[in-house]
Amino acid sequence: MNTDLPKGYDPAQVEQKWFRCWEERGDFHADEKSPKPHYSIVIPPPNVTGVLHMGHALNNTLQDILCRWKRMTGHEVLWMPGTDHAGIATQNVVEKQLAAEGKDRHELGREAFIERVWTWRSESGGQIINQLKRLGASCDWERERFTMDEGLSKAVREVFVRLYDDGLIYRDNRLINWCPRCHTALSDLEVEHDDKKGNLWHLRYPVVGTDRYLVVATTRPETMLGDTAVAVHPEDERYSDLIGKMVLLPLVNREIPVIADEYVDKEFGSGAVKITPAHDFNDFEIGKRHDLEFINVLDESGIINENGGPYSGMERYSARVQIVADLESQGLLEKIDDYANAVGECYRCKTVIEPYMSKQWYVAVKPLAAEAIKAVETKETVILPPQWEKTYYEWMYNIQDWCISRQIWWGHRIPAWFCDDCGEITVSREDATACSHCGSSNLQQETDVLDTWFSSALWPFSTMGWPEETEALKKFYPTSCLVTGFDILFFWVARMMMMGIKFMDDVPFKEVYIHALVRDAQGQKMSKSKGNVIDPLTIVDEYGADAFRFTLCAFAAMGRDIKLSTERIGGYRNFVNKLWNASRFALMNLEDFDPAANSLDGLELSHADQWILSRFASAAEEANKALGAYKFNDVASVLYSFTWHEFCDWYVELSKEDLYGEDAAVRSRTQTVLYTVLEGLLRLLHPILPFVTEEIWQVLPGERPTITIMQAEYPVGDVIPTSAAAVAEMEIVMDVIRAIRNVRGELDVPPGKRIQVVLDCKNSAAQVAVESGRSHILSLARVENLQVGIDCERPKQVSTQVAGDVEVLIPLAGLINVEEEEARLLKEMAKVQKDVDFFTKKLSNEKFVANAPPQVLEKDRGKLAAAEEKKAILELSLLKIRTLK
RNA sequence: AGGCACGUAGCUCAGUGGGAGAGCACUACCUUGACACGGUAGGGGUCGGCGGUUCAAUCCCGCCCGUGCCUACCA
């Protein structure tokens, strides 16, 4: 066995080695036939086009921590991985490839294009899967799914047909968000609103039969080509005489009516609004109310169509410039104001979207949403942290029908066929060959595909084999938990809730844990366009996956965004290295140790042993508690401080004399404790630091019940009972050591210098405690002559410090000068004086004494007494020191 | 416009109705046989501002200022 660990931890080879080992051994695999209680998570499927970013890193690290923890606590864990087919994004990628070859998809035709996408996918899609593995993600990779897989596609058809049959899917011709570049409709959610600087153009529309103008304001002057009315508020006196009259639409010379509608805000602009029912959502509603004409002036690429008269064939923004210029030359441009407003952009390509009339497929979501709301209200699904519940309700109560059809090729083609003969629609699970209305075989399949989120919404059950009744579904549905960022709460979580309840008759997950967004150090959202992205894999290369994971875990406090700083990652890299070196120390001292031949049972444990074992128990307890409550940062902090500040700083140091001493029994007892605590600590840390813990665990001496630490049991608390009294005595010894070190440090006593110390104890209990730690005090405080007693004889020139019931006296002779000690005492006294003042004031407040709970009172009185006593001792010492000057 | 967060040490962030914490950075000393990615000691904050509730507020409530995010049809 190799116990010669290198001096510094080198993550690179270690990570690769263990990940391969786990995967080959099947440690990640979930067994649906297992009798163990289940724990399941479906991964939020990243886009097949995606590359790992910080959001993925955080999201998957948290899931992995949960999954590894649950495996270790005896659960059969299914973490279902996969990617989604990202319809628009993927099609864009492949279209770009084609463009580089001077082709476009229409030349290839639909089938060849789709084939080309599949080729792209198998060659360069899904890189993110390997990137997730580099983080240590313990998904059941054998089950990896893709939303375009055959099984998942079958689920999509099943759902479509059933929703259609239930009347929840329908077709309608209305305004939708149209991306003129992607040439497809988008759902409301897929439009991003960004405040942009623009203008408000004030146009003059001549009133027919008068010499008056009606001034209207618009942010999109080119739409005037499609105006079919001007609206004013019915109670606006300025215009009441014009209602019912006609204005002459400039440039196109069309007479359009002045109508009255409550929608108009009298205060805004001129109080008169041009109405373009075919190109504006509000105008659309007004158009319907007033039975106006809907004139579409754009084609699907955003180019003015034949309805635009002289502007026909112009691109929308060129047309805007031209129209403004023409209006101006005709004296019909009143003024141009600067104006900022939220412009809708395509979330995939950032092209400004156009409200566009077209016939699309919709899901009537209101009835589904009602059930999804109920499930959260009744806590069948719990959303954490709870403030997100409100956001969820808000969205669900105001939900609009979901436009699910996309005019692209890559995706699940809508299973609907139009009959050439009777014009009716046939919707079918199998490809239709005959019209279900007239029997005709002259059918054309709908060319549109479904929104990618439609298939994502089925993910929690489609990945488990639905619509088949599989063992996996029986065992693992509903899933235990969903871990995700709030940015897809509506896109995904809400829709999974609706679909899960509708088709599985049960919620898709019992808990939803919403985590923060990772931002850069300035708090900006990371984005390629801002150039502020930090590549997680670069971080992994530089600091190691474990250090990165620990950082994410430590930062993942509920309800707050994460501003990632590389300094902090460096700090946790040091932590991993610290663990590594503490382990090296242990291994060096465990070479002759056999865990099988040594047990804690029946050993007479030292105070130090009992202290570290009791601290370990409490760290384990807190870690479990925090993990169960998704308090990832608490887990990190508990384990960090136990590892570094208790195990390394104290126990490792305390153990040295016993390990290096002559007494074989003492040595073996200490080895047993050292082994027990380190081995347990590695298991405690494993969910966060999977790689380094496995590497160390594997070289520990002896055999353990499982082959890998992954499958080992998670520590829960006490390894063996410890005596509270012994632990308390150890704490006193530690306080004394700290007090001596404090004096040494303050008075600049060289660290190597061995000194004399007198410990004057107030009572025999303190004396017993101190005596029990005599050897520790000698070694850790570098003391060569230690006197312990009650009412000891005090050397004349001493430095005085107080540690609870123990007065720490350090003879000055030859060490330090009187002035320095005087200064130190004054500083120390100033601190104590603050305490005395604070508690004196507090306790002299009659109302406080009358109202505060007795335990608070008692505690504060104790604190005051202790402070006063300490002050008295220091004061006396100061007097004595001053007589020596 | 509405909603939701946030404002704590130089920086990044925890935290709690009862004397303010961590990491990094900083200062001093130290190559002590696991570790200089280290050790020991230390300095540093009227917990955004103003009011209120309370014996007690950084924490609860109100208002204000600042920052960020989400939702929304003001042309």
Side-chain angles (χ1 to χ4, degrees), chain A residues 47-329:
Chain A
N47 288 347
V48 66
T49 57
V51 289
L52 192 76
H53 60 58
M54 282 295 167
H56 297 124
L58 172 68
N59 178 250
N60 289 286
T61 295
L62 299 184
Q63 290 176 72
D64 195 47
I65 289 169
L66 291 171
C67 287
R68 287 178 183 271
W69 173 56
K70 284 290 179 181
R71 268 188 214 103
M72 294 177 79
T73 54
H75 293 78
E76 188 62 32
V77 172
L78 169 59
W79 183 12
M80 176 72 76
T83 50
D84 81 35
H85 66 276
I88 298 171
T90 307
Q91 176 155 328
N92 284 351
V93 168
V94 177
E95 283 192 301
K96 262 184 208 158
Q97 277 191 347
L98 288 177
E101 299 165 18
K103 294 187 228 163
D104 77 43
R105 68 181 157 111
H106 300 281
E107 291 171 35
L108 262 70
R110 185 165 187 142
E111 269 184 43
F113 178 78
I114 288 171
E115 217 165 282
R116 176 85 190 226
V117 178
W118 279 106
T119 308
W120 170 85
R121 191 239 174 188
S122 64
E123 281 168 6
S124 38
Q127 301 173 46
I128 195 164
I129 294 298
N130 288 317
Q131 297 174 326
L132 288 173
K133 290 181 180 180
R134 287 208 54 202
L135 287 175
S138 63
C139 300
D140 186 352
W141 295 108
E142 294 170 36
R143 292 182 196 257
E144 186 185 334
R145 295 287 189 273
F146 181 50
T147 46
M148 286 292 282
D149 282 350
E150 199 184 332
L152 277 72
S153 302
K154 197 174 162 196
V156 165
R157 275 211 179 180
E158 180 68 26
V159 165
F160 188 94
V161 172
R162 278 169 60 179
L163 288 175
Y164 185 82
D165 289 346
D166 290 350
L168 293 174
I169 283 183
Y170 63 91
R171 252 180 126 215
D172 194 17
N173 189 28
R174 55 173 84 155
L175 271 192
I176 43 88
N177 303 294
W178 180 266
C179 175
R181 202 216 61 85
C182 298
H183 288 168
T184 181
L186 299 171
S187 72
D188 297 342
L189 279 178
E190 289 166 313
V191 177
E192 284 176 355
H193 296 275
D194 194 19
D195 253 3
K196 285 211 165 148
K197 270 187 262 179
N199 297 296
L200 194 57
W201 286 271
H202 298 254
L203 316 180
R204 294 175 179 152
Y205 287 4
V207 180
V208 176
T210 72
D211 53 1
R212 285 178 64 185
Y213 293 111
L214 199 45
V215 175
V216 297
T218 179
T219 54
R220 296 187 297 155
E222 68 280 8
T223 62
M224 60 88 63
L225 299 173
D227 284 1
T228 53
V230 171
V232 298
H233 196 275
E235 282 148 30
D236 192 337
E237 291 92 15
R238 293 173 294 177
Y239 302 119
S240 51
D241 60 320
L242 294 180
I243 297 169
K245 290 211 160 58
M246 303 299 274
V247 294
L248 183 68
L249 188 61
L251 309 180
V252 283
N253 296 321
R254 180 163 67 235
E255 287 193 8
I256 57 177
V258 178
I259 58 171
D261 196 287
E262 300 270 341
Y263 157 77
V264 179
D265 178 357
K266 287 190 283 186
E267 310 303 320
F268 190 90
S270 62
V273 190
K274 60 189 272 309
I275 302 298
T276 325
H279 291 286
D280 182 281
F281 290 102
N282 298 310
D283 295 4
F284 179 82
E285 294 302 321
I286 293 176
K288 282 204 292 192
R289 277 202 291 276
H290 296 269
D291 203 20
L292 300 175
E293 200 183 342
F294 290 61
I295 301 177
N296 182 4
V297 298
L298 292 174
D299 74 4
E300 59 179 24
S301 298
I303 292 170
I304 307 293
N305 66 15
E306 66 282 1
N307 294 328
Y311 304 93
S312 171
M314 293 181 76
E315 192 275 332
R316 54 184 166 156
Y317 293 112
S318 318
R320 173 179 297 180
V321 172
Q322 191 60 49
I323 284 168
V324 170
D326 291 350
L327 286 169
E328 185 165 26
S329 69

Side-chain angles (χ1 to χ4, degrees), chain A residues 609-625 638-639 642 646 677 684 715-722:
Chain A
D609 294 336
Q610 297 192 65
W611 175 80
I612 195 64
L613 286 164
S614 91
R615 297 307 306 147
F616 176 81
S618 105
E621 212 170 289
E622 286 178 54
N624 279 290
K625 205 172 128 200
V638 163
L639 296 182
F642 173 76
E646 299 188 311
V677 174
L684 270 183
V716 286
D718 281 327
V719 181
I720 196 162
T722 51

Side-chain angles (χ1 to χ4, degrees), chain A residues 698-716:
Chain A
Q698 293 291 340
V699 295
L700 289 178
E703 302 289 323
R704 280 162 293 280
T706 58
I707 306 289
T708 58
I709 196 174
M710 261 199 78
Q711 310 161 300
E713 265 184 50
Y714 202 70
V716 286

Side-chain angles (χ1 to χ4, degrees), chain A residues 590 592-601 603 664-665 667-673 675-676:
Chain A
L590 292 172
D592 57 341
F593 177 75
D594 176 11
N598 291 278
S599 154
L600 285 176
D601 294 323
L603 285 183
R667 175 171 156 83
S668 114
R669 186 207 73 222
T670 308
Q671 285 176 316
T672 311
V673 175
Y675 170 83
T676 304

